[in-house]
């Protein structure tokens, strides 16, 4: 039987309510009313604010046309949960607005599997959405909660704070070059020399980013500012510093780029001559799609990072400091960086 709009929603997105709840969202999840009415109803924990964020993924713009349905479903959710993580908020529910050229059952099954694999791992219910016909795009709205005084905002960084980042940077940049078959000629040999496992890791980082939700919660009350890295570390750090500018005028940063946290693939590239180092820096600093957390810490909090990294099984690296002097002072082993870097990802540029 042909799959119409409502059949499609029921088959791939509406979960069967489980006994004892009126939504099927599961015990302890504050959804009063989920999919099926004109709007969902959510109860927030007392004293907490609603954190709301939305991001769209457009085919050919946010993911290669060769991406699998599973990866597209995963990524649409992951990039939105990453924004909730960056606010130090706990996800409470998400909506999915889906525009599809056609209702292909195999493709929809893959999309739904990718979306719910991550949603279930993070305990996040899908509480509504919209389904329309048109060029492929997905818009997720993620709803979270956080006590307002503990929210990790972009505007709290102060001169002297440490600038830190989770995980590793630049893998998605390498993954995108691999996925688009667009590895720059200067590093083609170095990239060909990577193991199949290293290349698969880079592709997985592009297609299936991990929202750093546990880190966001752990940084409540510790970080002075935070955001996630979607457009490239340098561009996003610029946004954080601009938001944190006080009456004293704009802030800046000094970064020691030899401390950038890199995967073994990017480390190998950095060691493969000047072209390799320059491409590593471009991927790690200026391409984006990393979905790691960038955060600032008062210097006294630095000693807490190793235990936090151990507890979360997630590398946490400090790569520089916030400065009163505006602008970015980029250093490589103490020397001013002599590499011209792209400006990060920008629509319409
Ligand atoms: N069309 C829009 N209307 C209103 N606010 C928007 C619009 N587009 C983006 N914003 C807001 O501008 C800010 C920056 O957006 P963006 O760079 O997309 O953030 P992020 O990287 O966290 O997704 C966010 O606060 C976002 O909510
Ligand atoms: C086919 C394809 N081309 C390019 C990219 C790289 N890319 C596209 S959007 C983007 C930045 C993040 O997207 P944006 O819409 O700016 O998200 P936001 O900053 O709002 O979270 C990047 C790095 C990609 N992932 N796939
Ligand atoms: Mg956005």
């Amino acid at each position: 039987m042909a799959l119409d709009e409502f059949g499609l929603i029921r088959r791939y997105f509406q979960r069967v309510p489980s006994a004892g709840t009126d939504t099927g969202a599961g015990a302890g999840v504050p959804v009063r009313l989920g999919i099926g009415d004109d709007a969902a109803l959510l109860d927030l924990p007392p004293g907490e604010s609603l954190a709301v964020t939305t991001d769209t993924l457009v085919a050919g713009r946010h993911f290669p046309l060769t991406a699998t349905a599973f990866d597209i479903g995963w990524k649409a959710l992951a990039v939105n949960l990453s924004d909730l993580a960056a606010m130090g908020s706990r996800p409470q529910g998400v909506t999915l607005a889906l525009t599809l050229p056609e209702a292909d059952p195999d493709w929809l099954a893959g999309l739904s599997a990718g979306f719910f694999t991550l949603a279930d791992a993070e305990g996040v219910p899908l509480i509504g959405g919209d389904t329309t016909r048109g060029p492929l795009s997905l818009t997720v709205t993620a709803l979270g909660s956080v006590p307002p005084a503990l929210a990790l905002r972009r505007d709290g960084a102060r001169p002297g704070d440490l600038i830190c980042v989770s995980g590793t940077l630049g893998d998605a940049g390498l993954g995108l070059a691999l996925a688009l078959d667009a590895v720059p000629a200067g590093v083609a040999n170095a990239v060909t020399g990577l193991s199949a496992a290293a290349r698969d890791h880079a592709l997985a980082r592009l297609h299936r980013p991990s929202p750093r939700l546990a880190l966001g919660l752990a940084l409540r009350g510790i970080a002075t500012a935070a955001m996630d890295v979607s457009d490239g570390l340098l561009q996003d750090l610029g946004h954080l510093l601009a938001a944190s500018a006080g009456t004293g005028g704009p802030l800046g940063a000094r970064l020691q780029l030899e401390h950038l946290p890199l995967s073994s693939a990017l480390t190998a590239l950095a060691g493969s001559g000047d072209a390799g180092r320059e491409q590593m820096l471009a991927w790690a600093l200026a391409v984006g799609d990393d979905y790691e957390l960038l955060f600032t810490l008062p210097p006294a909090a630095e000693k807490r990072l190793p235990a936090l990294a151990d507890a979360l099984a997630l590398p946490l690296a400090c790569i520089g400091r916030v400065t009163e002097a505006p602008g970015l002072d980029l250093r490589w082993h103490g020397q001013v960086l002599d590499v011209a870097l792209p400006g990060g990802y920008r629509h319409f540029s």
Side-chain angles (χ1 to χ4, degrees):
M1 201 184 68
L3 204 53
D4 74 358
E5 177 185 342
F6 303 105
L8 183 163
I9 295 165
R10 268 195 306 278
R11 183 170 327 164
Y12 297 107
F13 299 106
Q14 192 161 13
R15 294 288 185 87
V16 179
S18 56
T21 69
D22 53 0
T23 64
V29 175
V31 182
R32 252 178 209 272
L33 189 60
I35 293 179
D37 213 311
D38 297 304
L41 299 176
L42 276 185
D43 293 344
L44 289 189
E48 301 204 3
S49 291
L50 179 65
V52 187
T53 181
T54 194
D55 267 320
T56 295
L57 300 197
V58 175
R61 169 70 47 190
H62 292 89
F63 53 85
L65 299 174
T66 52
T68 64
F70 188 102
D71 287 345
I72 295 167
W74 174 291
K75 188 163 180 174
L77 179 58
V79 303
N80 280 279
L81 295 182
S82 175
D83 280 316
L84 289 187
M87 289 305 290
S89 65
R90 196 184 291 283
Q92 301 291 3
V94 293
T95 66
L96 171 62
L98 196 53
T99 301
L100 299 170
E102 59 187 349
D104 174 336
D106 287 344
W107 193 90
L108 277 160
L111 182 85
S112 167
F115 189 93
F116 283 116
T117 298
L118 178 59
D120 293 347
E122 299 295 354
V124 188
L126 177 65
I127 61 171
D130 191 32
T131 304
T132 55
R133 187 169 201 156
L136 178 60
S137 84
L138 303 88
T139 298
V140 171
T141 298
L143 308 162
S145 66
V146 59
L150 297 180
L152 303 177
R153 298 163 47 139
R154 293 182 182 185
D155 60 4
R158 295 294 169 258
D161 281 357
L162 294 158
I163 296 171
C164 308
V165 66
S166 63
T168 59
L169 295 173
D171 304 309
L174 168 59
L176 183 63
L178 290 169
L180 298 180
D181 202 9
V183 175
V187 294
N189 284 341
V191 170
T192 308
L194 295 173
S195 67
R199 277 186 281 163
D200 286 349
H201 176 257
L203 285 164
R205 295 273 293 152
L206 171 71
H207 290 306
R208 294 196 203 166
S210 303
R212 302 304 188 189
L213 286 158
L215 175 61
L217 294 179
L219 290 175
R220 286 180 176 181
I222 300 177
T224 49
M227 66 182 297
D228 68 330
V229 180
S230 57
D231 293 330
L233 181 88
L234 294 186
Q235 186 190 125
D236 287 329
L237 176 59
H239 292 311
L240 187 148
L241 294 170
S244 296
T247 45
L251 296 174
R254 174 183 275 216
L255 299 186
Q256 293 153 301
L257 297 175
E258 68 277 11
H259 294 319
L260 279 174
L262 301 176
S263 65
S264 55
L266 273 275
T267 304
L269 195 67
S272 68
D274 284 352
R277 184 185 59 120
E278 289 187 21
Q279 188 57 60
M280 176 281 285
L281 290 169
W283 279 332
L285 296 174
V287 168
D289 262 334
D290 300 291
Y291 299 102
E292 294 297 344
L293 294 192
L294 167 67
F295 55 97
T296 55
L297 289 182
E302 186 177 17
K303 56 181 181 305
R304 301 175 65 171
L305 276 192
L308 194 56
D310 272 0
L312 298 170
L314 178 66
L316 301 174
C318 291
I319 57 171
R321 275 183 196 273
V322 179
T323 58
E324 261 173 67
L328 297 183
D329 177 353
L330 305 181
R331 304 286 170 128
W332 181 257
H333 293 283
Q335 305 293 310
V336 174
L337 190 73
D338 53 353
V339 174
L341 292 164
Y345 195 87
R346 249 170 237 264
H347 296 282
F348 309 110
S349 72

